Structure formats: C-alpha cells, structure tokens
C-alpha cells in the first residue's frame, strides 16, 4: 500500500491514424471468401441469369486492405480509448463501470453460446434455456418481482417495453389513461420512451433542499388519467427517495402502475427490493449492475421483471420448465394471451444473460450484498474525500449528505472563482488518464459532474483519482488558460463542434466529408 | 462477509481497509451509510440464491457443464436462417471484438475515447458505401427496431399514418414493428403473388392512398426470393406521395443492387451477417441509412457521429451530429428514444467490411447465390419436394415444400443425422402448406448440401 501517485507524464496513445478509406491500396485483400468450383461448374456464376435490374453494376467503394493493415488500424483505434479495463473508471457516473470478469468472456466465446441458432429445436438448446430460466429465478430473488424476460436490448428498450405493457394493461381493462409521471433525475428514456408509446409525460422535480422528489408535486400530477409512474431510485444524484412507498401508494390509489428503472441498483442489491417499495414492474441493466461489459455502447440487456398480474403482458416468449415425466425440459412459452408481442427479435442478447448468470454464481447471496455495501462504502468515502479535500467541489443538494452508490457534484464555485467549467475539468482529467462526465440534460445542477465508484476499485485507486481532481483544481487557480485548452495529453485535441449542426458542413460519412470539405477529392 | 482476504472482484471487502475507510468517513458501520433508507423498506430476508463458486475454476466447470447440453451449429450442419444466419466470421473480427478497450468502453467523449468515435464513424462510412447512401447512424437494437423507426420517420416527414407492408414480412419482425409503431401508426399488409411471392402490385395500387405514409418491403424477402420489381414499388409509393422504405440483408449487397438504386428513401437491415456470431439470436444489430437531406436527418432518433476539426490543424475529431434530436438532450420532446444498443457489433461490422473490401463482398454475394441455387437444384430433384416454392430468383434462403411427412417429422429425422433442417413455416405461413425455409450461405460446401439431400431422400422414402 503506497501513496496514491498521480500520473503526471501520462499520455494516451496518439496514433494519428488515418480514416480507413485513406489506407486503401487497390488490389489488396483482407480475407478470401470460400469459393466452391464444383458448384460453380454446375450452376454457373449465379449472377448472369438474374434480371439485370437487380444486379449491382458497380462494386461498392469499400477500401482495399491487407489483413495486417486492418488489424493494425483497429488495434490502434482501440488504444485510443480509455476502456474500463485500463482506467480507474469511476468518473462515468450513472454508468456503473464495474469490473467485467474475464472468465465470463471465456464462457461466452464457447461455440455452445456463439454458434447456436434461435430456431434450433428446444432439446438442442437446453443449456441456454436453463441459464435463462435460472437467471430469471435469481432476479426474482433480488427484486421480489415474479417473472423476468431478457428480450429488451438495453435499458431504454426495457423502458419502452414497460410503456408498452402499461398501455396494453389499460387497454385490456378498457380504461383511458394516457399520462406517465417520471422525475427529472430519472434517465431521459424514462420520459422519452413512454412518449413514443403515445403517453403525455409529466416530470416531477425534487425539493430544492433535500433533492428528494416532492410528494406534493406528485399528488398535483396525479389524476384519473395517470397510467403509470416510472422512476429510478436512488436517483441519478445518488439520493434515495425514502418516501418511495408513499409515492407508489399515491399512484396505486389513483389506479396507476408503478415502474422501477433499476439502472442505479448497484448499491441496494439485497438491501431494498422493487417488491417492498411497491413496484409492479421494473428492469435491471445486466450490462451495468450485473457486470456484462458495456461494449462501447452495447450489446446489452434490460432484464424486464413484472408482478404476477402483469405476466400475461410480457413480450413473448418466456422460458418455462415442463416437469411432466416424459418432458422434463426447458421450453419457450409463447402462450401469453395479452402479450405486447415483441420489442426485439428472438430472446435477447444471450451472451449478456450468460455473463450475468456467471457473475451471480461467482458471488452468491453474501457476495451480492457485499457488492452493494462496498459500492456504497466506496461512494461515501469518495464523497467525503471530495468534500474535505477538493476545493470548490460540492455535492448537489448539500443539505442532504445521504448518498447511495453515486453522487452528482457541482463545480459551481470553481467556475465562479476561476472561470474553469466542468467541461474544462473533464478535459483536463483525461491528461491524467481519467474519465469524468457531466450529466444528462437539462443541467438542474450547475456545472455538474457525476462519480460512481462501484465495488471494483481499491482505496488506493480511489485516492489516485481524487489526487487528479485536486491537481486540476490547483491548476484552475494557477493556470486556468492551460486547463481551458486541455486536453494536452489525450489522443486528440479539443473538438471544434461548428460543423456538427450545420447541414452544409456535417460529415457523417467519409463520402460526405470528401464532398463537403474536399470538393469531392479523394486525395 | 468479513474477510482477512478480499473477493477478487471487490478489493475493499478486505476488513482492514473497510475499517480504515469507515473511520475516514466518520461512521461505525456501512449500515449507517444506508440511513436514508427507512427500516421498514429494508429487505430483511435471505435471497434464495445457489451456493456460489468462489474459485474461477469451479465456476468454469459449472457453467460449461450446463452449456454442454447445447448442440451448436459447429456440432450439427445448420440450414436455418430467418433473421439470424450462419456465416463465416473472420478471426480478426473476433480479435477486435474481444479487445479490452472496445469491449469495456462506454460513453466517453471525443478526445479520450477517440478510437471508439472513429471506429463507429468508419462503420457509418463503410455501410454508406455498401448501401450507397450518404447517411448511416450508429447501430441500434435490431432490424425490426430500425424498421419501426423508419416508419415513424415517414410519418413525421409527411404526416400520414398508415404503412403498407408485405404479407411475406418476417413474423418476428412483424411483432416488433407492430408494437413499435403502435399507437401512432397502423400497418396494412399487401398481398403477394402466389406464384412468385413478390408483392401483388394490383393490391398495392389499390391500397396506396392519401393516408399512406410509406411502403415498406424487404429484399431479399423473409422467404428468400428477390423482389425484382423494387423500382416499380418505390415509384408507386412516390407517385402516391409516400416514402419507400426497404429492409435488406447486407450480405447480398456485393452482388445485388442496393435499394437506394431503385428508389428507397430509407434503408434498414441487420448487421449480424457482417461478422457477428449468431449467439442464439443475440447477434442482432439494426442499421438505418438515408439521404443527406435535413428533413430526413433531423427525424432520426439515433446517434450519428460526424467527422470534424479539432483545435490542432489537420487533426481529425468526431462529435454528435444534431444532438438535439436525441432523448439524451430533449427527453420526451426528442425523436423517439436512444440508449445503449449494439455499438460493438457495429465496430465488428466495420472490421468485417474493411477485411472484405469490394471484391470480398462481391464474392460473398456471388457464392451465396451459387450455393443456394445449387441447393435448390439438388433438393428439387428429390421426389416429394418442391423447391423453391416460388418461381423467382433467390438469395440465401428459399421455401421447400414437402409431400408426405410433416416438416416437424422431417426435422426430427434430420436431427438424428446431425442436421438442423429448415424453419417450419406451418404456423407463420399456413397458406404455404407443409413448407420449410432453408438457408444456404458461404459456409455450406457442396458436400454439406449433398449430405442434406441424401438425408432428405432417405427420410422421405422411409
């Protein structure tokens, strides 16, 4: 155990790697496609007898590269990323950047996972179905809900499934309810996905002192049109709403359903459950809380759980077990009379399901609770460190110091005193090999930043990160211009955003870049 | 769990460290840190979870034990497609997909996650060449989801609320799309020509009206035939003031015309065929491509990365284009919603297209055409088999109709021969009778196809 050492001479890889099209060399091949000459002798080229209207006349303008060049290019790009495996990734708050155990990668690489087809007969995929069935049972224990499916391909798609279920539920009852209530510190998709499903969305704001959603505001929003209430708890501020049972009671009394966005579940696993808080439906992000890696933004799973009364509305199929003597096997059950249909083809991202299963099996009951407790310990340790040792950093809602697994902080004071903004601090943190992120819009908290330490980092690593914050604050006072020009040791320099909202300039593909900025000249 | 050693995934479970941290915070126990959670809400019981395997070795043994009950498409010869297709995956694709940095990155910004932004920009750029359109987005959940978005985009663009879709649409995708567009839009199915499977243009003509926002169809279709009158369908849609939306299998696009060449306004499809494993149907990743026109781009809900300048001359940087479209920026006022979806599969598709190049992608399309044609030829010679069911050119998949034994029986028998037979169409397309959807790709050799044929021959005469 040594002193936390700040990496003052850190420099991220900087390859100045061209866009892949610029590397093209006519005639080079990255891979050879299998060719069957025996078949060709029998059926011909397969193309000349097609109607010419459907045959591609000109080959696509893809680059031509040797295999090593392709490999080298993408490896270099990978080095220009601060992946969670290579940094103390506590600064991407709300994202639960915990350790994704490598052993689980070994498991998903098995052909028994990667090379199975979704329409194989059930007897040939009993292993996969067993994993899905058992993970459902595990999540029932962890949430108190009665049935899980893994079809949604991420948290936002799970929210969309929830909105779909709420809509189908009231339709089946002949009730016209078209309003969804959420809170401002719930994920943006908690508001956006229900709107796609035709709901009017009402957003409740927190009490300005405590950061706890205002029960009176909820009462004010409730009516006979209320279909549902969709929230995170703890909120994205890290504040747990202690009156959540009262909230769900208010919604239930008005005849609405309560949905739990469990994106922030990491600090409360085994401590508080959806059921006891009065939720009817909810989801976990298996790619966050349950350790499946984030994949640069997916593939992912929003594991969707419901109480018994809503089971019939789930997307099909669910996985069941037939105990009758002749069968004794797992099967896909499509027999849900009120199903919303599907939100994604097939049954979900099985490798993500498998990793979550393996993660739970590596920890067990005690281990899962330990994960939550250490995530909370780490978070509170970091919060007090920041409050005591990082000048001009403050927590949001400072009157309330109760935080669970993350904290939304503010650089309001730093900005007022030095002119250095949260964006500036974030950019400078890269120079020491750290991530830091602000928050989703709108910025209720001025100059926000959000830290979620998870259970995965040691005290020394947390200390190193805080040394980074302290150093940047010192620099904000002593060399504010240097901070404002940062990063200096990242893969690239600060991005000019002026093209990004201008239709005549935006270049979302290489061909558009050539056309708009190089007069069509491809070098 | 008070430990003198830590759990490998939880360093601060070490008792000594925990006490030190608690002392720093100024509390006696971790329980005090949960003070904001009322006692009566706390879960007091034990979660009924199995005894864990703390050692990595035991965990591997346990999980592999369960997985060994699966039979994979490496163990058996697989002729199933229908939305998840068996293809060869170049080793470099897996190598990049497993790379720690790509695998564990998430939402980093353009500077310190530069490589992620560039890889996804390159994905957009490479796909743009394959579909020959100017705008491609960061990938989304699946083809079905992207198709649903294309329909909602059409509605937002022209204000009309009906979408015409082919009766031959994939049944899985139909369920996804139906739920996705509800309640804003209605779907109406257009019939198909019994002989060719292609869209019934008379029926289409009849159904195109002032309230039709778009005509959507798939090429190649779910049933494998190629819709040869794509241009006619798009023209009819446009003449009726509607948009033309086309779903496409990207593995066909080296050999077959991209839908943009016959009039598509928005093109969607799935990236699974481009280097992503089947994963029990978990290998899906939807793509969406369109024209570089403001009225289209501003209606896209997904993230779109753009190339831009940085403060250093000559340096490439990237950023979000028209971020105000997204739910990250505008919550319920956004265009639909966006979130964590399938970025890594998009990066893999970029690697795949980089490896294949124009020649490779052409040869892929050609060899699939040849092999599926060969399979059709061989199977059609067997008594009791009609293949293909539709008189049309086919790509990768085709419907096989059987006399005598049911598809379920035949597939059970094939299984005994180590073969996963085609997808039973009994429930999804009852009008096709005793039929099955077979899939042949570049992974199937002549010997594989001959083996299928001789198995079927034996089964059908038995």
């Amino acid at each position: 155990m040594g002193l936390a050492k700040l990496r003052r001479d850190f420099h991220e890889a900087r390859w100045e790697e061209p866009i892949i099209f610029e590397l093209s060399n006519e005639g080079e091949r990255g891979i050879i496609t299998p060719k069957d000459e025996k078949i060709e002798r029998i059926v011909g080229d397969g193309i000349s007898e097609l109607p010419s209207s459907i045959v591609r006349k000109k080959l696509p303008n893809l680059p031509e590269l040797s295999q090593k060049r392709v490999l080298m290019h993408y490896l270099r790009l990978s080095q220009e990323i601060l992946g969670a495996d290579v940094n103390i990734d506590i600064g991407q708050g709300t994202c639960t950047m915990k350790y994704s155990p490598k052993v689980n990668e070994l498991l998903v690489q098995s052909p028994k996972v990667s090379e199975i087809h979704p329409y194989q007969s059930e007897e040939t995929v009993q292993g996969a179905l067993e994993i899905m069935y058992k993970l459902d049972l595990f999540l029932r224990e962890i949430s108190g809900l009665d049935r899980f499916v893994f079809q949604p391909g991420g948290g936002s798609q799970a929210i969309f499934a929830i909105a779909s279920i709420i809509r189908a539920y009231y339709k089946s009852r002949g009730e016209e309810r078209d309003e969804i209530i959420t809170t401002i510190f719930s994920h943006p998709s908690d508001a956006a996905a229900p709107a796609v499903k035709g709901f009017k969305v009402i957003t409740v704001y927190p009490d300005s002192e405590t950061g706890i959603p205002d029960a009176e505001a909820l009462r004010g929003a409730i009516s006979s049109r209320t279909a549902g209430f969709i929230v995170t708890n703890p909120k994205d501020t890290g504040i747990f709403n202690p009156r959540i049972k009262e909230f769900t009671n208010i919604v239930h009394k008005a005849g609405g359903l309560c949905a739990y966005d469990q994106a922030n579940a990491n600090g409360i696993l085994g401590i508080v459950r959806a059921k006891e808080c009065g939720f009817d439906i909810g989801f976990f992000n298996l790619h966050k809380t349950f350790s499946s890696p984030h994949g640069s933004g997916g593939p992912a799973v929003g594991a969707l759980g419901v109480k018994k009364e809503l089971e019939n509305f789930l997307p099909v199929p669910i996985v069941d077990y037939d105990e009758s003597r002749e069968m004794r096997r797992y099967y896909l059950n499509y027999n849900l009379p009120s199903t919303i249909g599907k939100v994604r083809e097939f049954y979900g991202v099985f490798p993500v399901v498998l990793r979550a299963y393996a993660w739970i099996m590596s920890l067990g009951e005690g281990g899962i609770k330990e994960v939550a407790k250490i995530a909370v310990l780490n978070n509170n340790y970091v919060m007090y460190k920041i409050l005591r040792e990082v000048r001009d950093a403050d927590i949001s809602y400072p009157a309330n110091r109760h935080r669970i697994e993350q904290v939304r902080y503010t650089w309001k004071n730093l900005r007022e005193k030095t002119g250095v903004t949260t964006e500036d601090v974030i950019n400078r943190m890269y120079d020491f090999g750290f991530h830091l992120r602000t928050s989703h819009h709108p910025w209720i908290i001025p100059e926000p930043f959000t830290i979620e330490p998870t259970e995965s980092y040691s005290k020394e690593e947390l200390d190193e990160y805080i040394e980074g914050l302290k150093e940047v604050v010192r620099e904000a006072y002593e060399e504010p211009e240097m901070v404002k020009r940062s990063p200096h040791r990242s893969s690239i320099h600060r991005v000019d955003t002026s093209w990004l909202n201008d239709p005549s300039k935006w270049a979302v593909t290489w061909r558009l870049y050539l056309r708009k900025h190089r007069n069509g000249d491809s070098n | 769990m008070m430990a003198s050693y830590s759990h490998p995934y939880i360093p601060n479970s070490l008792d000594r460290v925990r006490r030190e941290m608690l002392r720093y915070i100024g509390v006696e126990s971790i329980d005090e840190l949960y003070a904001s959670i009322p006692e009566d809400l706390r879960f007091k019981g034990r979660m009924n979870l199995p005894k864990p395997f703390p050692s990595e070795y035991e965990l591997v043994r346990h999980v592999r034990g369960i997985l060994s009950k699966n039979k994979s498409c490496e163990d058996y010869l697989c002729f199933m497609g229908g939305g998840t297709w068996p293809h060869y995956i170049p080793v470099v694709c897996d190598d990049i997909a497993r790379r720690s940095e790509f695998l564990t990155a998430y939402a980093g910004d353009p500077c310190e996650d530069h490589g992620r932004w560039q890889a996804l920009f390159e994905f957009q750029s490479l796909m743009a060449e394959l579909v020959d359109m100017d705008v491609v987005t960061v990938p989304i959940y699946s083809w079905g989801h992207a198709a649903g978005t294309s329909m909602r985009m059409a509605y937002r663009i022209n204000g009309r609320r009906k979408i015409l879709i082919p009766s031959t649409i994939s049944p899985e995708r139909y369920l996804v799309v139906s739920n996705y567009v509800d309640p804003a839009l209605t779907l109406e199915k257009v019939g198909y020509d019994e002989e060719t499977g292609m869209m019934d243009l008379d029926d289409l003509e009849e159904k195109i009206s002032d309230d039709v926002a778009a005509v959507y169809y798939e090429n190649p279709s779910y049933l494998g035939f190629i819709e040869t009158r794509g241009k006619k369908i798009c023209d009819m849609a446009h003449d009726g003031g509607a948009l033309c939306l086309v779903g496409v299998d990207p593995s066909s696009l080296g050999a077959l015309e991209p839908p943009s060449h016959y009039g598509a306004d928005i093109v969607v499809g799935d990236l699974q065929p481009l280097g992503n494993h089947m994963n029990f149907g978990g290998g899906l990743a939807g793509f969406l491509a369109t024209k570089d026109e403001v009225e289209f781009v501003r209606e896209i809900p997904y993230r779109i990365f753009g190339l831009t300048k940085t403060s250093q001359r000559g340096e490439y940087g990237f950023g979000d284009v028209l971020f105000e479209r997204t739910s990250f920026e505008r919550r319920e006022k956004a265009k639909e919603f966006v979130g964590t979806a399938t970025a890594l599969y998009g990066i893999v598709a970029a690697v795949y297209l980089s490896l294949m190049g124009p020649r490779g992608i052409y040869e892929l399309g050609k060899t699939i055409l040849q092999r599926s044609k060969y399979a059709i030829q061989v199977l059609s010679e067997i008594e009791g088999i009609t293949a293909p069911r539709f008189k049309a050119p086919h790509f990768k998949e085709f419907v096989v109709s059987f006399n005598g034994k049911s598809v379920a029986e035949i597939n059970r028998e094939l299984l005994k021969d180590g073969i996963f037979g085609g997808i039973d169409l009994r429930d999804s397309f009852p009008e096709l009778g005793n039929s099955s959807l077979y899939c042949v790709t570049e992974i199937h050799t002549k010997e594989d196809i001959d083996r299928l044929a001789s198995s079927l021959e034996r089964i059908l005469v038995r």
Side-chain angles (χ1 to χ4, degrees), chain A residues 12 14 18 20 22 29-30 34 36 38 40 44-45 49 54-56 60-63 73-74 77-78 80-82 84-85 92 101 103 109 111-112 114-117 119-120 124-125 127-128 130 138 141 164 167 183 186 188 196-197 242 267 271 273 288 293-299 342 344-346 357 361-362 365 369-370 372 376 378 388-389 430 435 457 459 493-496 500-501 506-511 513 515-516 518, chain B residues 9 12-13 18 20-21 24-25 34 36 38 43 45-48 50 52-53 60 62 66 69-75 81 84 98-107 109 112-116 118 121-122 124-126 129-130 132 134 141-142 144-145 152 172 179 182-183 253 255-257 277-280 284 292 307-312 315-316 322 327 331-332 336 341-344 354-355 358 363 370-371 373 420 423 446-447:
Chain A
E12 193 173 358
R14 175 173 163 73
I20 193 144
E22 296 176 282
R29 291 292 299 264
D36 197 316
K38 286 170 285 181
E40 184 157 300
D45 68 1
E49 80 266 21
I54 58 170
V55 176
R56 188 162 191 152
N61 185 31
L62 295 169
H73 175 72
Y74 286 103
L77 294 188
S78 78
E80 294 180 319
I81 299 173
L82 278 183
D85 273 354
Q92 294 195 67
V103 63
Q109 286 162 17
K112 302 278 189 192
S114 63
E115 307 313 314
I116 53 175
H117 189 282
Y119 289 144
Q120 282 179 219
T124 67
V125 289
E130 180 176 340
F138 296 175
E141 293 296 321
S164 303
R167 190 179 150 75
T183 61
S186 297
V196 176
K197 216 53 203 169
I271 311 286
R273 308 194 308 173
K288 294 179 179 173
H294 293 65
S296 287
K342 281 183 157 301
R344 187 180 191 279
E345 296 92 317
F346 309 114
Y357 174 87
M361 286 306 296
S362 72
E365 215 266 345
K369 285 181 173 165
E370 185 74 354
V376 172
N378 287 352
R388 288 169 191 165
E389 298 181 21
Y430 303 151
H435 271 129
Y457 296 97
K459 177 180 166 298
H493 297 81
R494 215 176 270 212
V495 166
D496 177 343
L500 302 174
N501 294 312
W506 67 43
V508 303
T509 48
W510 181 244
R511 51 161 62 191
Y513 172 76
R515 205 179 302 154
K516 293 181 182 179
R518 287 207 198 159
Chain B
Y9 305 161
N12 293 341
S13 55
R18 176 198 319 242
E20 191 183 334
M21 292 171 75
Y24 179 84
I25 295 170
Y34 283 111
S36 63
F43 173 62
R46 269 183 72 81
M47 297 179 285
N48 181 21
F53 298 99
V60 170
H62 165 75
I66 298 175
K69 297 169 195 166
N70 290 345
K71 305 279 182 280
S72 83
C73 295
E74 285 189 357
D75 307 322
T84 291
R98 293 169 186 174
R99 183 80 184 173
S100 261
E101 295 89 333
F102 282 127
L103 183 68
T104 66
Y106 194 33
D109 287 326
E112 94 296 357
D113 263 9
H114 177 67
R116 179 175 71 88
Q118 182 166 337
F121 170 81
E122 290 182 352
Q124 295 174 178
S125 302
L126 292 158
E129 297 306 330
L130 192 61
D132 204 8
D134 290 337
Y141 308 106
S142 68
H145 189 93
R152 282 183 172 271
E172 294 267 342
N179 182 57
D182 168 80
L253 293 180
L256 302 184
E257 278 282 52
H277 293 274
M278 293 192 287
N279 287 325
F280 200 34
L284 306 183
D292 185 32
L307 178 62
T308 186
K309 305 173 285 187
T310 74
S311 60
Q312 180 138 322
E315 189 177 69
Y316 292 136
L322 222 54
S327 51
R331 297 179 72 90
E332 72 273 16
E336 303 167 39
T342 53
L344 190 60
S354 304
L355 288 167
E363 286 167 11
Q370 290 173 317
R371 284 163 208 245
K373 188 176 176 204
F420 295 140
I423 298 164
K446 179 171 180 297
E447 289 70 28

Side-chain angles (χ1 to χ4, degrees), chain B residues 2 108 111 130 146 172 189 196-198 233 239 260 268 304 374 426 449:
Chain B
M2 281 285 181
C111 290
L130 192 61
E172 294 267 342
K189 284 187 176 175
T196 65
M198 292 181 211
I233 297 170
D239 288 346
S260 57
V268 296
I304 312 173
Y374 175 74
R426 189 189 53 190
I449 296 166

Side-chain angles (χ1 to χ4, degrees), chain A residues 326-389:
Chain A
E326 61 278 19
M327 300 301 285
R328 296 184 79 84
R329 68 178 197 202
Y330 300 95
Y331 68 101
L332 294 167
N333 180 359
Y334 284 85
N335 186 24
L336 297 181
S338 312
T339 178
I340 59 165
K342 281 183 157 301
V343 294
R344 187 180 191 279
E345 296 92 317
F346 309 114
Y347 331 119
V349 185
F350 180 61
V352 175
V353 172
L354 178 63
R355 290 185 189 108
Y357 174 87
W359 187 76
I360 292 172
M361 286 306 296
S362 72
L363 289 160
E365 215 266 345
I368 297 269
K369 285 181 173 165
E370 185 74 354
V371 162
K373 289 177 179 174
I374 299 298
V376 172
L377 173 71
N378 287 352
N379 182 49
N380 279 271
Y381 175 78
V382 167
M383 178 176 77
Y384 279 97
K385 272 280 213 195
I386 287 177
L387 285 173
R388 288 169 191 165
E389 298 181 21

Side-chain angles (χ1 to χ4, degrees), chain A residues 104-118:
Chain A
N104 299 345
E105 298 312 305
L106 179 81
L107 298 172
V108 300
Q109 286 162 17
S110 161
K112 302 278 189 192
V113 175
S114 63
E115 307 313 314
I116 53 175
H117 189 282

Side-chain angles (χ1 to χ4, degrees), chain A residues 144-187:
Chain A
L145 297 174
D146 298 319
R147 172 73 83 160
F148 277 81
V149 293
F150 308 111
Q151 193 178 101
S156 295
Q157 199 168 47
I159 298 164
F160 183 71
I162 286 172
S164 303
I165 288 171
I166 293 175
R167 190 179 150 75
Y169 174 77
Y170 288 109
K171 203 172 168 192
S172 76
R173 296 165 61 99
E175 289 183 53
E176 277 189 37
R177 290 173 176 267
D178 59 358
E179 292 180 358
I180 293 279
I181 302 169
T182 185
T183 61
I184 193 67
F185 288 119
S186 297
H187 191 275

Side-chain angles (χ1 to χ4, degrees), chain A residues 56-104:
Chain A
R56 188 162 191 152
K57 312 298 179 303
K58 193 167 166 280
L59 290 182
N61 185 31
L62 295 169
E64 299 175 74
L65 303 150
S66 64
Q67 193 168 101
K68 168 74 163 61
R69 192 67 192 86
V70 174
L71 178 71
M72 193 158 68
H73 175 72
Y74 286 103
L75 285 180
R76 286 173 173 178
L77 294 188
S78 78
Q79 292 187 346
E80 294 180 319
I81 299 173
L82 278 183
D85 273 354
V86 297
N87 84 101
I88 302 167
D89 211 342
I90 69 173
Q92 294 195 67
T94 74
C95 300
T96 316
M97 304 303 292
K98 66 171 61 184
Y99 174 55
S100 300
K102 286 296 151 191
V103 63
N104 299 345

Side-chain angles (χ1 to χ4, degrees), chain B residues 22 80 215 227 232 258 272 303 307 353 389 447 462:
Chain B
L22 286 170
M80 283 186 290
V215 179
E227 178 58 76
K232 179 80 184 149
Q272 186 268 324
R303 293 181 77 176
L307 178 62
L353 290 174
R389 167 70 174 70
E447 289 70 28
R462 258 204 301 255

